[in-house]
Amino acid sequence: MNFPQRLIDGYSAFAAGRLAREQDRYRELAETGQRPEIMVIGCCDSRVSPEVIFDASPGELFVVRNVANIVPPYAPDERAHGVSAALEFGVGALRIKHIVVLGHARCGGIKAYAEDAAPLSPGDFIGNWMKLMAPAAVKTPRGDLSPAAYLTRLEQANVVNSLDNLMTFPRLARLIEKGKVNVHGAYFGVASGDLSVLDRGSGEFRPVVPEATTFGTPRF
Ligand SMILES: [Zn+2]
């Protein structure tokens, strides 16, 4: 058996710690089914785990991850659409109330797109997938931005593009318009650990100040 020892060790720690503490919750969720209210669409990036960043317990987050947290536009054809299937289940069956598109700094998919990277395989799956963010790139001129600042803009514009694409799903768009589903853009700064949330009015990503920090800030 060459199952990674790291995973066996990790599972052992989970079984002795978190599972032991949350066994009742797991049993209850098994019997009653999951009822998460929040769906997160995030990137595959190993540094940007939604459950870790949001300190989530089992059953709280319905997560779909793909390269560069992209929501492809609605395409009701015969082809397989992973994000659409997750949206269909999350919205249609679980009655998710919030959808968060979580972008992040140092995104390899965005960098590959921005630098027009050479294909990693004959299929060029990343290249073809990343073309979905072309509308975001069109709206993000390089101007005289530094390469790093441009990538940040592109990463954030890609979040907005995914939010726009959510509106191409007719049933979801109706639920959003009625206020039954709320959509949000967020951005995680990998090095700093800072989380920003998109303010739809200004189009800016504004930092979320952790509660503990606020509480700990001297008031005089
Ligand atoms: Zn990424």
Side-chain angles (χ1 to χ4, degrees), residues 204-220:
E204 299 285 322
F205 282 76
R206 303 248 166 91
V208 168
V209 181
E211 295 229 333
T213 305
T214 310
F215 192 71
T217 302
R219 296 180 191 177
F220 51 88

Side-chain angles (χ1 to χ4, degrees), residues 43-45 66-69 104 106-110:
C43 182
C44 298
D45 194 300
N66 61 47
V67 172
N69 43 269
H104 71 98
R106 314 291 169 95
C107 183
I110 306 276

